[in-house]
């Protein structure tokens, strides 16, 4: 988190331990040695005078530093941080790795304060290797996802639909990466925040693709009752948060269709009016998870890998999902980017 710089003026009148001395260094040294000349005889006396002078200077410095830190602490404790404080963030990356895109409010972006979210650091090398183009400063490569974003927004915004499930027919077709880049493209909009939720409870992978370590996820909320605020992570990208991690579960379809999950989605949907919630859900044809989860969301995107997913699998997957909720298909690895 970036913090606003605060200039602290310290005067001799207010803080007596800070000494204001406009004389030259030579004059101060002469004055000091003049006072100590009676006792500072010989080698030992000179060393003693030098040490006394250094101790005095050190104590003044420590006193001033202590006061500045205490004042900043009290100021941060009682004064609510502004949007600018949270918008101007920095993300320290490993040397030699690409720097993830950090958006600021210089052009009118408004980002909420993520004081209740866990702040995490993206691994630029992992992000680049996994083709998370939405997190990198690569405008040409994100254009296809912007087209997808525009099409989905036109289909959902007017009707108040803001919970979208991303799935595929089979595993390995790129649904998780599509969900990440799609969510990041949505977060670029001026009036939109995004929460990405990893619902692939058998093998949660969003945090791995982003190069982040996470030991807790949605399963901890559903089984252990952990508060959602303890699971939401903010990677330093404005208006984008996510939930991913935790242990693998093999009875996940029961949890995804449970009343607790339904209550969670309702709370996510209604809490923030200008927020999209994107759910990365397991493939349709590999289990019952997607079928159990589909009735809980407003819209569904089905990822199809070019040259791999058969027409038979696509048709079968679509036939099992609520047709009125299918927003479209996303063609992945077509050589032209993602297309809705």
């Amino acid at each position: 988190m970036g913090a606003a710089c605060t200039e602290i003026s310290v005067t001799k009148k207010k803080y007596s331990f800070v000494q204001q001395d406009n004389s030259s260094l030579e004059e101060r040294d002469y004055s000091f040695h003049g006072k100590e000349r009676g006792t500072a005889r010989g080698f030992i006396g000179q060393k003693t005078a030098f040490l006394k002078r250094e101790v005095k200077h050190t104590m003044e410095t420590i006193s001033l530093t202590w006061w500045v830190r205490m004042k900043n602490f009290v100021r941060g404790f009682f004064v609510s941080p502004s949007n600018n404080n949270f918008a101007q963030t920095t993300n320290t990356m490993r040397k030699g790795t690409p720097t993830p895109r950090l958006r600021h409010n210089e052009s009118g972006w408004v980002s909420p304060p993520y004081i209740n979210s866990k702040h995490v650091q993206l691994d630029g090398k992992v992000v680049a290797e996994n083709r998370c183009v939405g997190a990198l400063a690569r405008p040409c490569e994100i254009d296809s996802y912007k087209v997808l974003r525009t099409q989905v927004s036109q289909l959902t915004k007017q009707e108040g639909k803001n919970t979208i499930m991303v799935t595929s027919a089979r595993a390995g077709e790129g649904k998780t990466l599509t969900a990440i880049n799609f969510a990041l493209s949505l977060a670029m909009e001026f009036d939109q925040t995004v929460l990405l939720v990893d619902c692939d409870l058998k093998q949660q992978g969003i945090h791995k693709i982003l190069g982040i370590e996470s030991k807790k996820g949605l399963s901890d909320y559903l089984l252990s009752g952990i508060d959602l605020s303890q699971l939401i992570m903010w990677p330093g990208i404005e208006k984008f948060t996510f939930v991913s991690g935790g242990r693998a579960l093999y009875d996940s379809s029961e949890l995804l269709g449970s009343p607790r999950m339904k209550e969670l989605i309702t709370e996510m949907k209604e809490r923030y009016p200008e927020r999209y919630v994107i759910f990365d859900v397991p493939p349709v044809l590999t289990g019952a998870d997607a079928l159990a989860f589909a009735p809980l969301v407003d819209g569904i995107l089905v990822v199809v890998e070019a040259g791999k997913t058969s027409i038979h699998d696509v048709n079968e997957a679509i036939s099992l999902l609520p047709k009125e909720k299918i927003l479209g298909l996303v063609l992945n690895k077509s050589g032209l980017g993602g297309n809705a």
Side-chain angles (χ1 to χ4, degrees), residues 121-142:
Q121 180 176 304
L122 293 177
D123 188 322
K125 183 178 181 181
V126 174
V127 167
E129 290 176 349
N130 290 329
R131 304 185 304 281
C132 295
V133 296
L136 299 170
R138 297 177 179 177
C140 295
E141 298 180 9
I142 196 64

Side-chain angles (χ1 to χ4, degrees), residues 123 126-127 130 132 176-177 180 205-212:
D123 188 322
V126 174
V127 167
N130 290 329
C132 295
T176 299
L177 182 59
I180 294 173
I206 290 177
H207 65 289
K208 297 177 182 177
I209 292 178
L210 293 175
I212 294 170

Side-chain angles (χ1 to χ4, degrees), residues 80-315:
S80 299
S82 64
N83 285 338
N84 289 338
N85 291 344
F86 290 95
Q88 296 175 355
T89 60
T90 57
N91 206 355
T92 305
M93 304 302 302
R94 297 179 182 176
K95 293 182 179 180
T97 60
T99 302
R101 171 178 53 81
L102 296 177
R103 298 186 298 278
H104 307 295
N105 63 354
E106 296 173 357
S107 301
W109 303 83
V110 178
S111 184
Y114 296 106
I115 55 178
N116 294 323
S117 303
K118 179 182 178 182
H119 297 180
V120 294
Q121 180 176 304
L122 293 177
D123 188 322
K125 183 178 181 181
V126 174
V127 167
E129 290 176 349
N130 290 329
R131 304 185 304 281
C132 295
V133 296
L136 299 170
R138 297 177 179 177
C140 295
E141 298 180 9
I142 196 64
D143 280 347
S144 296
Y145 290 101
K146 289 184 178 180
V147 172
L148 175 62
R149 174 194 69 191
T150 303
Q151 292 175 318
V152 171
S153 297
Q154 291 173 350
L155 292 172
T156 58
K157 266 194 174 181
Q158 292 183 351
E159 300 179 8
K161 298 178 178 179
N162 63 345
T163 55
I164 299 175
M165 154 182 153
V166 179
T167 186
S168 60
R170 299 284 182 183
E173 296 179 353
K175 67 173 182 63
T176 299
L177 182 59
T178 299
I180 294 173
N181 284 327
F182 173 55
L184 288 168
S185 69
L186 283 169
M188 293 179 185
E189 291 192 314
F190 287 94
D191 58 349
Q192 203 68 64
T193 62
V194 181
L195 173 62
L196 176 62
V197 183
D198 198 335
C199 293
D200 196 341
L201 301 182
K202 294 178 181 177
Q203 49 179 9
Q204 298 193 59
I206 290 177
H207 65 289
K208 297 177 182 177
I209 292 178
L210 293 175
I212 294 170
E213 226 179 285
S214 177
K215 297 181 180 180
K216 294 181 180 180
L218 184 61
S219 58
D220 295 279
Y221 171 86
L222 297 173
L223 291 178
S224 305
I226 294 179
D227 191 82
L228 183 65
S229 61
Q230 300 181 33
L231 305 175
I232 297 178
M233 292 181 282
W234 180 55
I237 298 177
E238 290 187 16
K239 298 186 291 184
F240 172 77
T241 52
F242 70 95
V243 175
S244 180
R247 62 186 185 277
L249 298 175
Y250 295 98
D251 53 350
S252 52
S253 60
E254 290 80 5
L255 289 175
L256 292 179
S258 65
R260 184 166 174 79
M261 187 71 221
K262 185 176 181 180
E263 292 174 1
L264 176 62
I265 294 178
T266 302
E267 195 273 338
M268 289 178 174
K269 178 179 176 62
E270 298 176 353
R271 185 168 185 177
Y272 300 103
E274 299 299 334
R275 169 193 271 182
Y276 271 105
V277 185
I278 310 301
F279 300 95
D280 177 29
V281 180
V284 179
L285 303 180
T286 59
D289 296 50
L291 305 183
F293 197 78
L296 307 181
V297 297
D298 298 326
I300 302 172
L301 287 175
V302 181
V303 177
V304 177
E305 183 177 346
K308 178 180 178 180
T309 311
S310 67
I311 297 297
H312 177 269
D313 286 346
V314 174
N315 290 332

Side-chain angles (χ1 to χ4, degrees), residues 23-62:
S23 61
S24 66
L25 180 62
E26 292 78 11
E27 291 173 345
R28 292 199 300 271
D29 287 345
Y30 180 82
S31 176
F32 179 86
H33 285 294
K35 296 177 182 179
E36 300 296 332
R37 195 165 297 164
T39 56
R41 301 295 182 184
F43 178 79
I44 296 178
Q46 292 176 7
K47 288 294 182 180
T48 303
F50 173 79
L51 288 174
K52 288 178 66 177
R53 181 172 47 176
E54 289 299 310
V55 168
K56 181 181 179 182
H57 174 72
T58 302
M59 292 302 297
E60 290 178 354
T61 303
I62 292 175

